[in-house]
């Protein structure tokens, strides 16, 4: 768990409540003789427990947290803005570079594939040198790739720029979830992870809108010069608004306040563990909830900087080395592959990958569907169709995070203040239904040439809702289970998502030409549904999976 407690305290709480505390299990209320730091004006226990260091990112004031998450979100947005912006511009690229539709689609597919594997570079850098240098150097690469795209004269040159963009855009899929875990407490992460997915997927939706409008009015090259300006602005925001958030958290004795144990009490047990022994008062579970005699140390006394901290001068440096940078670099290359052996990570990876591919389907097919009879939309109009997906994403943002946090909090109260990561999984149910409806409408609407308003208003909006919600919920679940390796976990998910995205981009056009729109879209929908149904299995047996990996080294990183 993340509460910064040593083995003796965990064992004491397990004895009091007669439960097993595994990595990912969190204590969200005072338990018997154990009292925790709570939020200002709230009875919510803060997980992880913040230190008494004013420079601890968990202690930062709302102003500095807002600055950091704003700069991080805009970096995510700009890095995702370019790779999938090409869809409405395919006709111009076909004319400019004398290529086929499949070759133009390859610009997107190759960038997606490279983007996924580039995180084998960026996550080790983020782990060993910090989030700040990762954003700075990746944005410099993206600026170079955008300038290259704007000036490319041949198919091969433009493809080279796409590859470079894929390398530079990697942090969009891995770094912000780690930043969220660095600066926000557990009970808020559902909302912030949904914001992350909306920032990232929103960039993929807005890119085609802007690209379509600009390419049909001022030319496709001007779009890439606009992109250069956006990247430069993001780089400046990172430099001046984003201090380093990675923080080496140590256990502090004053995180907990325990009453002195009386040697004459008959209900005491001497627990051995760690260094020396600790006497813990054994409290009946019923009394745990109603004991009014406990005198917890006020939160302000244990963490006087909570909500009032600020970054140190060192956190504004170009980089901050981890205690063992070379070791961390080597481990970071290996951990993403190791994480693929963890069932929870596999579950999250498959839900993320196929949920995102439902959106990718729209991106890769909208030009060939709506640019042809009976619609005959121009590239600018095709781009504007993505507004429906964007609106859906905002609906997902407004509902998925708060819903998953509420579902989890409600289950926690029923479980006597003990939160398990699996408690948020039931929040997936409405979004799985929305995903299925959206795919049905798009597949049969495309095939039978329905009125475009039905396809866009229902199908595209549903795609936006589910792609903001389902990945956010399962990402939060996986990170809650394996928080120390949040970045590596996202690499594992990204590899799965982007490899499937590349394969889908290669085969979807000939598949549609041979069989129509229904088979590929409904096949993808069926796969999303199958992976999401595994949520029932993990809701029931997820804790067993965490028990299998409780002694893994990933929990000590």
């Amino acid at each position: 768990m993340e509460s910064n407690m040593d083995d003796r305290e965990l064992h004491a709480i397990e004895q009091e409540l007669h439960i097993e505390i595994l990595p990912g299990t969190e204590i969200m209320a005072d338990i018997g003789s154990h009292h925790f730091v709570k939020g200002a004006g709230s009875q919510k226990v803060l997980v992880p427990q913040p230190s008494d260091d004013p420079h601890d990112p968990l202690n930062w004031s709302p102003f500095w947290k807002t600055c950091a998450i704003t700069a991080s979100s805009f970096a995510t947005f700009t890095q995702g803005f370019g790779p999938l912006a090409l869809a409405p511009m395919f006709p111009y690229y076909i004319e400019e570079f004398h290529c086929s539709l499949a070759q133009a689609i390859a610009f997107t597919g190759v960038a997606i594939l490279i983007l996924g594997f580039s995180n084998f570079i960026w996550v080790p850098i983020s782990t060993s040198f910090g989030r700040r240098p990762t954003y700075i150097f990746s944005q410099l690469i993206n600026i170079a790739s955008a300038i290259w795209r704007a000036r490319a004269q041949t198919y091969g040159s433009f493809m080279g720029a796409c590859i470079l963009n894929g390398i530079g855009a990697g942090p969009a899929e891995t770094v912000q979830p780690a930043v969220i875990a660095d600066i926000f407490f557990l009970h808020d992460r559902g909302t912030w992870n949904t914001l992350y997915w909306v920032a990232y997927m929103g960039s993929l939706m807005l890119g085609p809108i802007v690209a379509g409008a600009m390419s049909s009015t001022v030319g496709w090259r001007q779009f890439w010069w606009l992109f250069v300006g956006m990247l430069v602005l993001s780089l400046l925001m990172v430099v001046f608004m984003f201090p380093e958030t990675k923080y080496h958290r140590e256990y502090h004795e004053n995180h907990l306040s325990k009453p002195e144990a009386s040697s004459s009490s008959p209900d005491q047990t001497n627990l051995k563990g760690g260094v020396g022994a600790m006497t813990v008062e054994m409290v009946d579970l019923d009394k745990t909830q109603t004991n009014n005699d406990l005198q917890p140390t006020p939160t302000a006394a244990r963490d006087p900087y909570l909500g009032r901290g600020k970054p140190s001068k060192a956190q504004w440096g170009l980089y901050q080395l981890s205690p063992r940078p070379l070791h961390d670099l080597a481990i970071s290359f290996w951990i993403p592959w190791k994480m693929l052996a963890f069932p929870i990570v596999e579950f999250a990876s498959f839900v993320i990958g196929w949920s995102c591919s439902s959106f990718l389907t729209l991106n890769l097919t909208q030009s060939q569907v709506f640019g042809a009879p009976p619609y005959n939309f121009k590239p600018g109009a095709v781009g504007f169709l993505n507004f429906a997906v964007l609106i859906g994403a905002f609906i997902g943002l407004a509902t998925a995070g708060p819903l998953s946090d509420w579902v989890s909090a409600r289950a926690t109260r029923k479980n006597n203040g003990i939160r398990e990561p699996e408690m948020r999984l039931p929040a997936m149910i409405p979004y799985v239904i929305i995903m299925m409806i959206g795919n049905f409408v798009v597949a049969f609407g495309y095939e039978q040439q329905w009125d475009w308003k039905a396809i866009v208003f229902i199908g595209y909006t549903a795609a936006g809702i589910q792609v903001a919600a389902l990945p956010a919920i399962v990402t939060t679940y996986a990170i809650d289970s394996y928080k120390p390796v949040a970045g590596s976990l996202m690499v594992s998910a990204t590899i799965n998502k982007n490899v499937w995205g590349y394969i889908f981009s290669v085969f979807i056009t000939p598949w549609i030409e041979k069989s129509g729109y229904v088979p590929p879209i409904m096949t993808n929908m069926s796969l999303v549904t199958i992976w999401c149904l595994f949520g029932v299995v993990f809701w029931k047996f997820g804790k067993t999976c965490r028990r299998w990996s409780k002694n893994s080294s990933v929990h000590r990183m």
Side-chain angles (χ1 to χ4, degrees):
M1 60 181 297
E2 292 183 59
S3 298
N4 304 343
M5 292 183 289
D6 62 19
D7 291 340
R8 294 174 297 170
E9 290 163 327
L10 289 177
H11 186 47
I13 293 174
E14 287 178 326
Q15 291 287 327
E16 287 196 24
L17 295 184
H18 308 292
I19 63 168
E20 181 182 15
I21 298 178
L22 298 171
T25 301
E26 300 296 348
I27 300 169
M28 307 299 292
D30 289 337
I31 300 297
S33 55
H34 299 266
H35 300 274
F36 303 91
V37 177
K38 299 181 179 69
S42 170
Q43 289 304 306
K44 291 180 179 178
V45 168
L46 300 179
V47 179
Q49 290 279 278
S51 69
D52 56 1
D53 180 359
H55 307 309
D56 181 346
L58 291 174
N59 283 330
W60 285 354
S61 67
F63 171 79
W64 285 114
K65 288 189 177 186
T66 300
C67 286
I69 200 64
T70 300
S72 178
S73 296
F74 193 62
T76 295
F77 180 87
T78 54
Q79 290 184 353
F81 193 77
L84 291 189
L86 286 71
M89 299 189 286
F90 285 154
Y92 297 108
Y93 293 135
I94 291 171
E95 179 182 354
E96 179 79 21
F97 301 126
H98 309 290
C99 62
S100 66
L101 175 61
Q103 289 175 314
I105 289 176
F107 289 142
T108 297
V110 169
I112 289 172
L113 183 65
I114 299 298
L115 190 154
F117 284 94
S118 72
N119 281 299
F120 281 104
I121 300 171
W122 295 119
V123 167
I125 292 175
S126 174
T127 301
S128 300
F129 300 97
R131 326 300 188 202
R132 183 171 159 85
T134 303
Y135 276 139
I136 290 174
F137 289 112
S138 63
Q139 290 296 59
L140 290 173
I141 291 174
N142 286 319
I143 291 170
S145 73
I147 294 173
W148 187 356
R149 288 214 212 205
R151 300 177 62 88
Q153 301 297 321
T154 66
Y155 180 90
S157 177
F158 195 85
M159 180 62 80
C162 291
I163 292 172
L164 187 63
N165 187 199
I167 295 172
E173 297 197 328
T174 55
V175 175
Q176 190 169 349
V179 171
I180 289 169
D182 289 340
I183 66 177
F184 292 112
F185 296 102
L186 177 66
H187 63 273
D188 287 327
R189 285 185 197 159
T191 298
W192 292 109
N193 274 316
T194 303
L195 172 65
Y196 156 68
W197 278 106
V198 169
Y200 180 54
M201 300 309 298
S203 70
L204 306 183
M205 300 162 194
L206 269 178
I209 295 173
V210 178
M214 292 191 67
S215 63
S216 61
T217 53
V218 296
W220 64 267
R221 294 184 188 275
Q222 298 306 312
F223 168 77
W224 296 110
W225 287 118
L226 170 68
F227 188 39
V228 171
M230 292 172 61
L231 290 166
V232 170
L233 174 60
S234 173
L235 178 61
L236 293 174
M237 290 176 66
V238 169
V239 170
F240 295 107
M241 294 174 59
F242 186 81
E244 182 55 59
T245 64
K246 184 172 174 58
Y247 184 83
H248 183 61
R249 199 165 304 286
E250 299 285 357
Y251 166 74
H252 292 274
E253 290 293 339
N254 61 355
H255 284 163
L256 291 158
S257 175
K258 296 182 286 292
E260 293 294 330
S262 170
S263 59
S264 62
S265 173
D267 294 320
Q268 290 176 345
T269 302
N270 193 44
L271 300 176
K272 300 290 183 180
V275 180
M278 179 176 109
T279 301
V280 178
E281 183 182 1
M282 302 303 294
V283 181
D284 181 82
L285 184 57
D286 293 332
K287 295 179 182 178
T288 298
Q289 308 305 318
T290 60
N291 190 343
N292 296 319
D293 297 328
L294 297 172
Q295 299 297 324
T297 305
T299 288
R302 278 173 283 157
D303 186 3
Y305 299 106
L306 182 63
R308 295 192 290 271
K310 62 180 181 180
S312 66
K313 183 177 180 180
Q315 287 170 315
W316 288 104
L318 182 59
Y319 64 90
Q320 285 192 336
L321 283 177
S322 65
R324 297 181 297 173
L326 295 179
H327 172 269
D328 290 344
L329 275 173
I331 290 296
S332 294
F333 282 112
W334 159 242
I335 290 299
W337 297 108
K338 180 177 180 178
M339 296 303 294
L340 290 173
F342 290 54
I344 291 173
V345 176
E346 280 294 307
F347 164 65
S349 297
F350 277 79
V351 172
I352 291 169
W354 270 265
S355 173
C356 291
S357 70
S358 290
F359 165 70
L360 181 63
T361 300
L362 308 185
N363 184 272
L364 298 177
T365 57
Q366 56 189 221
S367 282
Q368 65 193 94
V369 172
F370 292 109
Y375 308 106
N376 297 314
F377 286 4
K378 295 188 179 300
V382 172
F384 285 130
L385 298 178
N386 289 279
F387 269 120
V389 190
L390 184 65
I391 291 170
F394 281 114
I395 294 173
L397 170 63
T399 59
L403 176 62
S404 69
D405 285 339
W406 178 81
V407 167
S408 184
R410 185 170 181 268
T412 300
R413 288 193 297 272
K414 290 185 176 181
N415 198 36
N416 299 317
I418 306 299
R419 175 174 292 188
E420 306 289 358
E422 292 77 21
M423 289 176 175
R424 70 177 65 247
L425 293 179
M428 296 174 63
I429 294 172
Y431 302 105
V432 174
I433 296 172
I434 290 171
M435 177 276 300
M436 296 174 69
I437 293 172
N439 276 277
F440 269 107
V441 170
V442 170
F444 289 96
Y446 278 0
E447 188 72 24
Q448 299 175 13
Q449 297 181 339
W450 291 358
D451 187 290
W452 69 269
K453 291 186 284 295
I455 299 172
V456 174
F457 293 168
I458 300 176
Y460 278 36
T461 302
I465 294 172
Q466 68 87 24
V467 84
L470 291 175
I473 293 170
V474 297
T475 296
T476 305
Y477 170 48
I479 290 176
D480 285 352
S481 300
Y482 301 103
K483 191 268 178 184
V485 287
S488 296
L489 183 154
M490 291 304 298
V491 175
S492 303
T494 298
I495 291 171
N496 182 82
K497 174 175 70 71
N498 289 25
V499 168
W500 171 246
Y502 173 73
I503 294 172
F504 205 57
S505 70
V506 170
F507 289 104
I508 190 171
T509 299
W511 194 355
I512 288 171
E513 292 172 350
K514 179 181 179 180
S515 306
Y517 291 99
V518 172
I521 295 176
M522 295 308 291
T523 298
N524 192 73
M525 185 213 74
S526 299
L527 290 170
V528 181
T529 305
I530 289 171
W531 308 138
C532 289
L533 285 175
F534 274 95
V536 178
V537 177
F538 284 94
W539 179 76
K540 183 70 175 176
F541 300 107
K543 189 165 185 177
T544 300
C545 295
R546 289 187 287 122
R547 184 178 295 111
W548 294 342
S549 60
K550 68 178 182 179
N551 296 320
S552 173
S553 60
V554 301
H555 297 297
R556 298 187 293 275
M557 292 183 172

